[in-house]
Amino acid sequence: MIREIQDKIIALKKEKNICLVAHTYQASEILEVADIKGDSFVLSQKAQLAPESTVVLAGVRFMAEGVKLLSPDKKVILAHPDAGCPMAEQIAPERVRQYKKEHPDHPIVAYINTTAELKAVCDVCVTSSTAVKIVSRLPEKEMLFIPDCNLGDYVQRQLPDKKINLWLGGCHVHAGVTERDVINARKDHPGALLLVHPECVPEVVAHADFVGSTSAILEFAAQSDANEFIIGTEMSISEHLTYQFPDKHFHMLSKKLVCPNMKITSLMDVYRAIAGTGGEEIILSDELMRDARRPIDKMIELGQ
Ligand code: 13P
Ligand code: SF4
């Protein structure tokens, strides 16, 4: 059944000139037929270079918006219209505007995992893998970091000369992991390396052997000589690694590391979006496109 749907997807993509883009937290059966896979920002960068004029995205809304912002001439369809991200959507842009009024000298740094509306009121974006580099290159000493206080805290610890004001927000999936989970996992798997995403709380990050974005964790595990790992990010990453490297051992740091927003998209949703009977086209006004693109361009400029 899965194979049949996958074959239909492959044929339809070709027939309709569609590029299928999927975040690494998606199910394997979706990733197997995706043309582009990766972490949040990499998806939009790679989609920009794709020759197809239509992109179907299996992931969450802010990722589809990210693709649209970098590829304004492409038609971008979010495979499941209800696939949102509570972290990306948790701040009303008005509250950031208010902060700006009160602190006109503080740049607003936005994690790329935010809505286009929120990006539009910020000064520079960062990804989980570039945050330290980008913040270190900002001329200002003091700033506001939104929306993930855990990633913000991680950056602050790497850059003690900066003063990073944090917003009390974050990813409930990663932030749900506790130090107790680390102690238990270390006890169950002594000798395994602990790889965690910086969206985890500081008490968890402090125990890590490696801290990095989704792709950085995948890359680290692939290249490491070690053969046993505890994975502190969404469950699918442990599954993909187990599948890719059958001789290595991967354990989930906690069973709580499952993102329901990422899991809402099924292979059938992807099929319907490609067939034109499902999904939702991402439409952003010209003004929003212009304003939300600005902090992304700033990130690209500072990252060079
Ligand atoms: P990255 O894929 O950029 O590491 O972000 C993690 C995440 O939570 C995506 O939803
Ligand atoms: Fe959002 Fe889920 Fe990613 Fe957390 S894991 S940032 S809730 S999409």
Side-chain angles (χ1 to χ4, degrees):
M1 180 66 175
I2 287 179
R3 191 64 242 174
E4 268 170 45
I5 305 170
Q6 285 180 323
D7 287 345
K8 283 187 186 169
I9 288 176
I10 292 166
L12 264 182
K13 275 196 304 170
K14 202 165 162 208
E15 184 192 315
K16 300 180 82 174
N17 192 29
I18 289 176
C19 174
L20 176 60
V21 173
H23 188 270
T24 35
Y25 292 172
Q26 293 295 295
S28 305
E29 64 252 34
I30 296 177
L31 287 166
E32 277 164 13
V33 287
D35 303 295
I36 294 172
K37 321 165 224 217
D39 58 19
S40 311
F41 186 58
V42 165
L43 294 179
S44 39
Q45 280 184 310
K46 287 191 179 165
Q48 218 179 353
L49 304 173
E52 294 87 353
S53 53
T54 301
V55 172
V56 167
L57 182 124
V60 292
R61 184 170 292 269
F62 78 80
M63 295 172 186
E65 288 181 346
V67 172
K68 185 70 186 170
L69 289 174
L70 289 200
S71 305
D73 297 332
K74 290 190 197 285
K75 180 174 179 177
V76 180
I77 297 163
L78 176 63
H80 196 306
D82 297 335
C85 164
M87 174 171 75
E89 295 156 16
Q90 77 197 152
I91 304 175
E94 196 39 50
R95 296 186 67 193
V96 176
R97 278 198 204 98
Q98 186 57 36
Y99 180 95
K100 250 183 163 168
K101 247 188 236 160
E102 289 160 16
H103 308 275
D105 303 336
H106 297 184
I108 315 285
V109 181
Y111 188 16
I112 199 88
N113 300 13
T114 45
T115 61
E117 256 200 309
L118 203 47
K119 285 185 178 80
V121 294
C122 294
D123 297 296
V124 62
C125 284
V126 297
T127 66
S128 49
S129 47
T130 62
V132 174
K133 180 158 121 189
I134 302 293
V135 169
S136 75
R137 290 180 175 177
L138 288 175
E140 294 88 353
K141 180 180 158 68
E142 189 165 357
M143 66 204 69
L144 175 68
F145 190 100
I146 62 158
D148 185 358
C149 64
N150 295 319
L151 177 61
D153 178 89
Y154 174 71
V155 178
Q156 176 70 84
R157 284 169 201 262
Q158 312 304 308
L159 302 172
D161 290 344
K162 296 282 184 185
K163 183 167 185 329
I164 303 177
N165 298 312
L166 303 173
W167 200 280
L168 206 61
C171 163
H172 68 289
V173 178
H174 288 88
V177 180
T178 62
E179 192 174 18
R180 172 53 50 195
D181 293 320
V182 175
I183 294 165
N184 291 341
R186 288 272 201 213
K187 203 159 68 196
D188 291 345
H189 313 291
L193 292 182
L194 174 65
L195 319 183
V196 309
H197 198 284
E199 287 175 15
C200 291
V201 297
E203 305 84 74
V204 168
V205 170
H207 287 273
D209 296 299
F210 176 77
V211 183
S213 67
T214 311
S215 328
I217 289 177
L218 286 167
E219 224 172 277
F220 182 95
Q223 284 172 6
S224 170
D225 290 335
N227 83 338
E228 195 174 6
F229 306 86
I230 302 164
I231 304 295
T233 190
E234 218 272 341
M235 165 185 100
S236 47
I237 299 302
S238 319
E239 289 178 355
H240 302 327
L241 283 167
T242 303
Y243 182 69
Q244 258 181 291
F245 302 101
D247 295 337
K248 293 186 177 184
H249 303 281
F250 300 97
H251 313 283
M252 273 173 77
L253 170 55
S254 159
K255 298 239 179 321
K256 290 172 277 190
L257 277 163
V258 179
C259 175
N261 315 287
M262 280 287 182
K263 298 291 177 261
I264 200 174
T265 307
S266 67
L267 189 66
M268 264 321 275
D269 292 320
V270 172
Y271 170 74
R272 287 191 206 101
I274 291 175
T277 55
E280 179 188 321
E281 184 177 353
I282 300 294
I283 309 272
L284 305 174
S285 71
D286 290 346
E287 193 190 356
L288 182 55
M289 294 274 275
R290 185 198 60 214
D291 292 348
R293 175 72 196 241
R294 203 182 352 94
I296 298 179
D297 287 340
K298 184 79 185 163
M299 170 179 76
I300 295 168
E301 179 199 316
L302 286 172
Q304 277 161 2

